[in-house]
């Protein structure tokens, strides 16, 4: 199975994990190991709350850090947060979030494209949290983004694929762009369904962090992501409207 390649770096794991809302630092560490995650998202606000001890813990895991601009509602706020994150975490990677409102936590796509242009011009490697809108995707790619992160459902909702047709269309229109589903997955079966559509990876946080057993749930998601990817590469048969016999009729006895 080919590795996941993002901005010139390769990873064997296709499960990205967030670091917020775990019941304890120890449970987070156990979940990261169970998921075999190589990329962790970290919020600048979360680091400010946890302090140097939290950052030391994340660094000790030996993973690639993907800082995010979670909670930012405007272009200026998102750009400033990204600049601060680059200084703190020492990486050009940034998961760009520009939120439209606090009720849905869906992206402000106009602000998102504008902020992406600014950050790419400043040398950032941007991972935009976006929708499955094809026009928005095209504008983000024109802005210089080389990865897209569409949501499956609202953040933390655990609803799974709210609009699978949109996700399928996005994959079909941009076959060579790494696509990572971000937000809304609640069960390992959701992750498997995403990967069966041909997506390159999934990003999880709430579904693992707030499970009764985060370590077991992280392991289950890792298995589902692997199974879904394998199924996609195996070229599954297309659905049919009518039954199709699996047993041949040649050689069967003919009763008079």
């Amino acid at each position: 199975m080919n590795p996941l390649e993002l901005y010139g770096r390769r990873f064997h794991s296709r499960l990205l994990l967030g670091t917020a809302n775990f019941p304890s630092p120890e449970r987070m560490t156990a979940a990261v190991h169970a998921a075999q995650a190589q990329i962790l998202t970290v919020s600048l606000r979360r680091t400010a709350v946890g302090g140097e001890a939290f950052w030391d813990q994340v660094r000790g895991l030996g993973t690639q850090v993907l800082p995010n601009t979670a909670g930012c509602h405007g272009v200026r706020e998102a750009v400033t947060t990204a600049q601060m994150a680059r200084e703190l975490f020492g990486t050009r990677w940034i998961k760009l979030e520009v939120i439209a409102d606090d009720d849905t936590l869906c992206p402000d796509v106009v602000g998102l494209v504008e902020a992406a242009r600014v950050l790419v011009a400043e040398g950032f490697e941007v991972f935009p949290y976006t929708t499955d809108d094809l026009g928005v995707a095209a504008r983000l790619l024109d802005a210089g983004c080389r990865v897209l992160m569409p949501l499956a459902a609202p953040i933390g909702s655990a609803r799974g694929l709210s609009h699978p047709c949109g996700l399928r269309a996005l994959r079909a229109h941009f076959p060579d762009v790494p696509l990572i589903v971000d937000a809304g997955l609640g069960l390992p079966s959701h992750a498997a369904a995403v990967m069966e559509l041909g997506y390159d990876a999934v990003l999880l946080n709430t579904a693992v962090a707030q499970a009764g057993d985060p370590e077991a749930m992280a392991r289950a998601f890792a298995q589902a992501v692997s199974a879904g990817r394998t199924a996609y590469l195996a070229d599954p048969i297309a659905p049919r409207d009518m039954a199709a016999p699996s047993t041949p009729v040649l050689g069967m006895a003919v009763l008079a």
Side-chain angles (χ1 to χ4, degrees):
M1 189 180 299
N2 293 334
L4 173 65
E5 185 167 338
L6 303 170
Y7 286 107
R9 296 199 58 186
R10 294 187 172 189
F11 303 89
H12 65 74
S13 174
R14 293 176 180 268
L15 175 57
L16 289 66
L17 203 61
T19 56
N21 297 320
F22 281 89
S24 70
E26 292 75 22
R27 301 296 292 274
M28 184 195 78
T29 297
V32 171
H33 289 318
Q36 298 183 12
Q38 294 179 286
I39 303 172
L40 300 181
T41 62
V42 179
S43 168
L44 190 65
R45 289 176 169 82
R46 173 72 178 86
T47 304
V49 172
E52 189 66 25
F54 173 75
W55 179 216
D56 286 343
Q57 180 192 7
V58 171
R59 279 186 294 201
L61 292 170
T63 57
Q64 168 70 42
V65 173
L66 175 58
N68 66 45
T69 62
C72 293
H73 288 75
V75 174
R76 182 176 180 181
E77 183 183 11
V79 169
T80 300
T81 301
Q83 292 166 339
M84 295 170 62
R86 178 166 59 181
E87 293 299 317
L88 177 61
F89 299 113
T91 178
R92 294 187 297 166
W93 279 22
I94 191 72
K95 181 192 168 193
L96 179 61
E97 298 183 29
V98 183
I99 301 302
D101 64 85
D102 289 326
D103 291 326
T104 66
L105 298 179
C106 287
D108 171 0
V109 294
V110 175
L112 180 67
V113 173
E114 183 179 346
R117 289 191 186 280
V118 173
L119 292 173
V120 169
E122 293 188 6
F124 282 89
E125 296 173 331
V126 179
F127 294 69
Y129 164 65
T130 185
T131 67
D132 58 23
D133 185 277
L134 300 179
V136 174
R139 285 169 174 79
L140 287 168
L141 295 173
D142 288 343
C145 299
R146 292 165 53 191
V147 178
L148 298 175
M149 302 184 75
L151 73 160
I155 292 173
S157 67
R159 280 166 31 187
L161 283 66
S162 294
H163 190 204
C165 291
L167 292 176
R168 187 178 292 109
L170 189 66
R171 176 73 288 173
H173 277 73
F174 303 103
D176 300 322
V177 176
L179 299 179
I180 303 172
V181 163
D182 172 22
L185 303 184
L187 294 170
S189 57
H190 299 158
V194 165
M195 299 303 291
E196 288 168 3
L197 290 178
Y199 276 68
D200 297 281
V202 299
L203 170 59
L204 306 167
N205 192 171
T206 305
V208 170
Q210 296 187 1
D213 186 339
E215 183 178 358
M217 188 60 77
R219 185 176 299 108
F221 267 105
Q223 293 167 348
V225 167
S226 179
R229 179 66 178 175
T230 301
Y232 170 72
L233 295 176
D235 191 17
I237 64 172
R240 300 184 177 97
D241 292 330
M242 302 295 290
S246 58
T247 302
V249 295
L250 291 176
M252 292 182 63
V254 177
L255 303 178

